[in-house]
Amino acid sequence: MGDRPGSPGRPGTSQGGPRLRGRSDALVTVANRLRSPMYISDRALPPEDVTVNTIESLLRIPNLASGRTEEQLVAAFSGDDGLVTDPDFLPGVSSLYPDPNQPPASAPPEVTWRRVSGTLYFPTGKTPRLLQGVLESGPFLGALAAVAAARGGELLLDLIVSDDSAGSGAYTFQFFKHGCWQAVVVDNYLPCLADEERLAFACSAVVGELWPSLLEKAYAKVHGSYYALAGGSVHEALVDLTGGVGFKVKTDTPEGQAAAADGGLWTDLLAWLGSKSIIGAVAKRAAPARQRFRPDVIPESEEGATTSEALAQEFAEGFEGSGEEGEQQGPYGLMYGQPYNVLEARAVNDNIRLVRLHCPWPSGIWTGPWATGSGEWDYPAMAGKLDSFADSWEDEATFWMSFDDFVAFFNRLHVCRMFPPTWHQLTLHCGWQGPSAGGPYHLPPPEPTFGGGGAASSAAERSGGEASSTNGGAAAQLVSSTWCCNPQFRMTVKKAAEVVVCLGQQDPTVAHRCHVPKRHRKRAIGLQILKVPLDSLGRRWEVRAGEVVASLSPCTSRELCATFRASPDFAYVVVPHAGRAGEEGAFVLRTLSSSPLEVEQLPAPLCLVVGGHWSGFLAGGGRGSAAWGSNPQYMISASHKAQVVASLTRLDLKYAIIKASRDPALDLDLALVTPEKGPEGPGRRASARDSEVVAAASLQGGAPSNEEAVLAVTLEPETPYLLVPSLAAPGVEAPYELRLMSAVPLELVPLPEMQTVQLAGEWTTETAGGCNVNPLWRRNPKFHIVLSNFGRVCITLARAPGKRARHPVDDMLGLYILRAAGQDGEIKGDPRRAVVAESTFVPQPDTTAEYELNGGCHYVIMPCTYGPGRTGRFSLAVSSGTGFQLRSLQN
């Protein structure tokens, strides 16, 4: 927490002491006159070399940290037989299991390591088939087989960097990890089942072909162990093997089913295959998905097809006979949980749409309608078109099935989008560190409270979300004050282009040496892309309506992708963020576009932090409170026009372990008002009318909160303002922190602590007694005041504006201070003898005077007009650095 306003000490800047630069004359005068410290905002970031080193260390893969090349490995670690042994991935249990002391239950009882020999790759011209072994690494092996089947094996050969040292047992492969290609050197020691002449893990169905086994070992080395490859996601593995952009499509959701029914999914499938993207299809075994598996559209029986009722019965029987949940056998020979590769999609006519799939496993070939040799190929509609399918029948690892059956069974499509060489790509490695870990724009819902939470929480539970904070409207979302601190990147294109933005985080499998399911991952990432005017060069401080091009909510995926059409007439600001403010970590930002693009990181914001405490008379309450002016007040200014995000945080609630439900009496507010202009320059305000409020957090539409209030405002250059933090109810004591962020230096002067109370009054026909020369003078409204100690008070009397014309003499304002006998404000004897001070009557709508009063004595303040009978409302404001009590004596 920063220094208490008005107290000596070092200001709350992030680095070094305050730098006095570009200060406005008004603030310099205020600071010198009040002998108060001036706080200057500065950049709140670690040194650049520290940030770069931190990001590099987070994105470094431990098993590749040595950086040994194939030649260095052979030269330094070859044995007497001339064969190399990799010291970074030794043939032992440390390379098999994430925890060598606790092998998984599915691990074989004994594993031996043997050197293998053979040919790295046989170009057979057919789609590959793999043997999986005892490790359930289907997602990776399915992705590997799909890459090997794509483009005639071209992408597979790209993974092989070198086999020049194959005679020494060393090979070099590469994988796309953390936004770049990283070389991996391995030896030819492979784990085998004890007393058996076969490999424990993956191998090729072609005897003597080594690429599946060695690539699996290299991929295991990247992730720390072989058993780290158990589980995972097909599209994430495809990205590691190709450098493309991966995403998953669910076909069993209402959206997916609608896309399949209206032809949207078929169109997408053709587009993906047309761009040479790689598509993996998986049937996730779950009861709702199995129950939905039915053929939707089947050619009618006049072409010799099986009737839909009979085929539906066959599918149902296949489900009933599929065994327990752990078994993989599905209907018509298909396998649950195993990735298949989509190779082709053809529309024969309006009723026949076919999909060709590759099954890389020894079993799992489709035996249903449109399988090789089935009667569907004899349809009259296929006459004259069979020759185009003949070549595909010769590959026993592939099969055809109808699109409707394909969608009914395969409920997960893993797509890896590939891009032609003409596309432009930029990759940036950055991170969230310290203040730059700003979190999402909208704060996450509050954590559950203990013991219920009252009516507000009950309403939220009934509605399924937050309780509404507006009158009858939808629940407002809390806006984060730190979102603007996230790294921001400005993007422009030379001509209209399709742009793909990918935000990736550290691979949790690399960090934990085992696969971490998404539901167990702690770090989430999110992304916003905003369209801004081309001449807008600075960072964005808030999300405005109409600016959002894409907004990806925080999720635990390894990579998020957004696609949009960019125009050269606008600039685009990309804001990556973590799931919560304060979560640090490295990220990779990839941008791909069909035309040249430029990306620049915007400068970090300037930040200023001060702390304070509402205590005693400083707890003045909200703007509707008579003591609002007692709240701490800060004079703020900027040398240039500046967009500012200010946040007020209640520290005791922000860091509380148990979160209480919201109490409206404890809502925070932060108001920016124009200062009071006095003879010595701008100063404190006792109250703020609506016309004097420049902006307030409570007026900007955000949800009220007990923990934080956020204010976004634009400051005019060289113009002083007052910033006033407050709580809704007066008298509540609590610590707070005030944080200001902007692109230009801000200057902040804490004004001296002062108690201020403003009370309303009215001169009626009975109480408008005029000045003390009038016989009805003593009927004027009276206010009782007592100071705790001797001190100076400043009293301001202001008359409310009215439509009636004012008399130049009778409507003059003034006041008297009289000594009272006690707390009831009784004045004994002639009131004129009790007068201890009086002001000069002035024709202005307000008058201010200062007096010195004794502590502990009872006084009465009597505001009046010069002439009697001048009715109207007025306000009386009293301010003092000494504590006091003020109350109205009017009935």
Side-chain angles (χ1 to χ4, degrees):
M1 186 175 70
D3 300 317
R4 181 171 174 173
S7 62
R10 181 178 176 272
T13 53
S14 62
Q15 297 178 7
R19 291 183 286 172
L20 306 181
R21 59 176 187 259
R23 295 182 292 178
S24 65
D25 293 338
L27 283 183
V28 173
T29 301
V30 171
N32 292 337
R33 172 169 57 88
L34 300 178
R35 297 180 180 178
S36 298
M38 176 178 284
Y39 298 160
I40 310 296
S41 60
D42 201 354
R43 300 204 184 276
L45 282 179
E48 184 176 355
D49 56 343
V50 175
T51 302
V52 171
N53 292 337
T54 301
I55 293 170
E56 290 180 349
S57 65
L58 291 173
L59 296 178
R60 188 179 298 120
I61 297 176
N63 283 342
L64 306 182
S66 62
R68 295 186 183 92
T69 64
E70 184 178 305
E71 294 78 7
Q72 291 172 337
L73 192 68
V74 172
F77 298 96
S78 294
D80 296 337
D81 56 358
L83 299 177
V84 69
T85 300
D86 183 7
D88 298 321
F89 204 64
L90 293 170
V93 293
S94 62
S95 299
L96 290 176
Y97 315 120
D99 186 353
N101 298 319
Q102 294 183 346
S106 60
E110 187 176 355
V111 173
T112 61
W113 293 77
R114 300 173 185 171
R115 292 192 183 273
V116 296
S117 60
T119 302
L120 187 58
Y121 176 66
F122 285 128
T124 62
K126 292 186 177 181
T127 54
R129 305 196 82 164
L130 306 178
L131 303 177
Q132 189 166 338
V134 299
L135 176 63
E136 294 292 336
S137 56
F140 166 69
L141 293 181
L144 185 61
V147 170
R151 304 184 187 181
E154 175 186 343
L155 296 179
L156 175 63
L157 294 177
D158 288 342
L159 297 175
I160 304 173
V161 177
S162 171
D163 62 347
D164 295 340
S165 302
S168 300
Y171 300 84
T172 303
F173 304 97
Q174 65 176 356
F175 301 103
F176 190 80
K177 269 296 185 187
H178 295 161
C180 60
W181 288 100
Q182 304 202 38
V184 188
V185 183
V186 294
D187 59 28
N188 61 351
Y189 261 120
L190 292 178
C192 300
L193 296 178
D195 301 327
E196 295 188 32
E197 293 296 327
R198 68 184 180 95
L199 297 175
F201 303 133
C203 63
S204 173
V206 179
V207 178
E209 190 176 47
L210 302 180
W211 64 265
S213 303
L214 293 177
L215 275 167
E216 183 186 43
K217 180 175 183 178
Y219 200 64
K221 180 179 178 179
V222 171
H223 294 87
S225 67
Y226 268 93
Y227 270 80
L229 307 186
S233 176
V234 176
H235 68 274
E236 290 180 352
L238 285 171
V239 172
D240 291 343
L241 297 171
T242 64
V245 174
F247 56 92
K248 181 169 62 176
V249 177
K250 298 181 180 180
T251 63
D252 56 355
T253 62
E255 296 80 7
Q257 292 173 343
D262 63 17
L265 183 59
W266 174 257
T267 303
D268 289 340
L269 191 64
L270 294 177
W272 295 331
L273 293 171
S275 63
K276 298 183 179 181
S277 297
I278 303 175
I279 306 172
V282 180
K284 184 178 180 181
R285 186 177 173 87
R290 295 200 305 271
Q291 294 168 3
R292 283 195 293 269
F293 177 48
R294 294 291 185 272
D296 297 323
V297 179
I298 298 177
E300 293 301 325
S301 57
E302 62 261 28
E303 297 202 63
T306 307
T307 63
S308 58
E309 293 81 3
L311 191 54
Q313 179 63 31
E314 291 182 24
F315 279 121
E317 293 173 357
F319 278 116
E320 293 171 0
S322 60
E324 297 298 325
E325 187 69 18
E327 297 183 7
Q328 295 181 331
Q329 184 63 47
Y332 291 97
L334 294 178
M335 303 289 288
Y336 291 114
Q338 294 287 34
Y340 290 73
N341 179 27
V342 181
L343 298 178
E344 296 181 66
R346 298 189 197 179
V348 177
N349 56 33
D350 293 340
N351 293 324
I352 302 177
R353 295 179 296 179
L354 303 179
V355 180
R356 184 186 177 208
L357 289 93
H358 163 222
C359 174
W361 320 111
S363 61
I365 297 295
W366 170 257
T367 60
W370 297 103
T372 303
S374 65
E376 283 75 17
W377 295 102
D378 297 329
Y379 289 166
M382 300 301 297
K385 301 179 181 179
L386 295 179
D387 291 344
S388 62
F389 292 90
D391 292 341
S392 64
W393 294 336
E394 297 179 0
D395 192 343
E396 62 275 8
T398 66
F399 59 85
W400 293 90
M401 66 187 304
S402 73
F403 174 72
D404 301 297
D405 291 345
F406 167 77
V407 173
F409 183 74
F410 294 103
N411 50 23
R412 299 293 185 274
L413 301 183
H414 298 263
V415 183
C416 182
R417 184 178 176 185
M418 305 298 290
F419 299 90
T422 56
W423 274 56
H424 303 261
Q425 177 170 335
L426 290 173
T427 301
L428 298 171
H429 293 80
C430 195
W432 302 289
Q433 187 176 6
S436 67
Y441 185 70
H442 292 292
L443 295 178
E447 297 292 338
T449 59
F450 290 90
S457 61
S458 299
E461 293 173 1
R462 290 192 298 269
S463 62
E466 294 183 5
S468 174
S469 59
T470 56
N471 295 329
Q477 289 184 292
L478 293 173
V479 176
S480 167
S481 63
T482 56
W483 172 87
C484 61
C485 296
N486 284 300
Q488 296 188 12
F489 303 87
R490 185 177 184 270
M491 180 190 307
T492 55
V493 294
K494 299 296 184 182
K495 59 181 181 179
E498 181 186 1
V499 177
V500 179
V501 178
C502 299
L503 174 66
Q505 62 173 323
Q506 300 162 258
D507 186 351
T509 306
V510 173
H512 295 85
R513 291 175 53 92
C514 65
H515 171 64
V516 181
K518 287 178 61 177
R519 64 183 179 276
H520 293 156
R521 298 176 190 174
K522 295 182 179 180
R523 179 176 289 114
I525 55 175
L527 180 72
Q528 274 105 15
I529 302 176
L530 310 177
K531 182 174 68 174
V532 300
L534 195 59
D535 57 359
S536 177
L537 303 178
R539 67 175 36 240
R540 308 308 291 173
W541 303 97
E542 58 182 332
V543 177
R544 299 174 181 172
E547 286 186 345
V548 179
V549 173
S551 182
L552 304 180
S553 301
C555 73
T556 56
S557 297
R558 209 179 76 185
E559 190 172 60
L560 300 178
C561 298
T563 303
F564 66 98
R565 191 75 181 172
S567 168
D569 299 328
F570 297 92
Y572 300 86
V573 176
V574 180
V575 188
H577 60 80
R580 291 181 180 273
E583 288 184 346
E584 298 184 339
F587 65 83
V588 178
L589 187 69
R590 291 196 288 158
T591 55
L592 304 98
S593 67
S594 57
S595 70
L597 78 162
E598 295 181 357
V599 179
E600 62 172 330
Q601 185 170 356
L602 298 176
L606 298 171
C607 185
L608 190 154
V609 180
V610 294
H613 202 285
W614 291 292
S615 61
F617 62 74
L618 293 178
R623 283 195 295 124
S625 169
W628 174 85
S630 300
N631 286 296
Q633 297 188 14
Y634 302 85
M635 191 164 290
I636 181 176
S637 179
S639 56
H640 300 84
K641 189 172 183 177
Q643 284 185 288
V644 178
V645 173
S647 70
L648 172 66
T649 305
R650 184 168 164 181
L651 297 177
D652 57 335
L653 297 184
K654 179 179 180 180
Y655 298 109
I657 298 177
I658 300 177
K659 302 290 186 181
S661 58
R662 171 181 162 259
D663 183 356
L666 303 180
D667 284 344
L668 298 175
D669 193 17
L670 188 59
L672 187 75
V673 300
T674 56
E676 187 73 50
K677 294 181 180 179
E680 297 183 1
R684 296 182 63 99
R685 272 207 172 274
S687 63
R689 295 187 291 267
D690 291 343
S691 60
E692 296 159 346
V693 177
V694 178
S698 58
L699 301 177
Q700 292 194 344
S705 170
N706 292 171
E707 293 186 23
E708 185 178 38
V710 181
L711 175 66
V713 68
T714 300
L715 302 184
E716 296 298 326
E718 300 295 343
T719 303
Y721 301 88
L722 284 183
L723 197 60
V724 186
S726 64
L727 285 162
V732 179
E733 299 190 352
Y736 67 83
E737 181 181 81
L738 185 62
R739 183 185 299 267
L740 306 173
M741 288 156 288
S742 70
V744 301
L746 300 177
E747 299 147 337
L748 193 74
V749 175
L751 300 185
E753 298 176 357
M754 186 172 292
Q755 181 179 1
T756 302
V757 178
Q758 177 172 292
L759 299 178
E762 184 178 8
W763 291 295
T764 64
T765 54
E766 291 80 14
T767 61
C771 64
N772 61 358
V773 300
N774 296 292
L776 301 178
W777 168 68
R778 64 185 307 160
R779 295 186 180 179
N780 280 297
K782 302 175 183 65
F783 298 84
H784 175 257
I785 185 173
V786 177
L787 275 66
S788 57
N789 297 292
F790 174 83
R792 179 179 293 272
V793 296
C794 178
I795 304 176
T796 299
L797 174 64
R799 187 167 191 171
K803 298 181 180 180
R804 188 180 64 176
R806 292 179 180 169
H807 193 276
V809 176
D810 289 346
D811 277 317
M812 291 193 299
L813 297 181
L815 59 87
Y816 298 90
I817 298 180
L818 301 85
R819 186 181 296 275
Q823 289 185 341
D824 56 0
E826 181 184 359
I827 300 174
K828 297 182 179 181
D830 187 356
R832 293 179 178 84
R833 296 180 177 271
V835 174
V836 296
E838 60 181 293
S839 69
T840 302
F841 283 82
V842 295
Q844 285 83 18
D846 57 75
T847 180
T848 300
E850 292 189 2
Y851 307 97
E852 291 184 345
L853 302 178
N854 293 321
C857 297
H858 300 276
Y859 297 95
V860 169
I861 302 175
M862 183 185 294
C864 56
T865 57
Y866 188 80
R870 312 304 295 180
T871 59
R873 292 177 295 168
F874 65 87
S875 64
L876 182 72
V878 179
S879 300
S880 177
T882 303
F884 64 88
Q885 295 179 359
L886 179 70
R887 61 188 179 91
S888 174
L889 296 176
Q890 290 180 278
N891 293 328

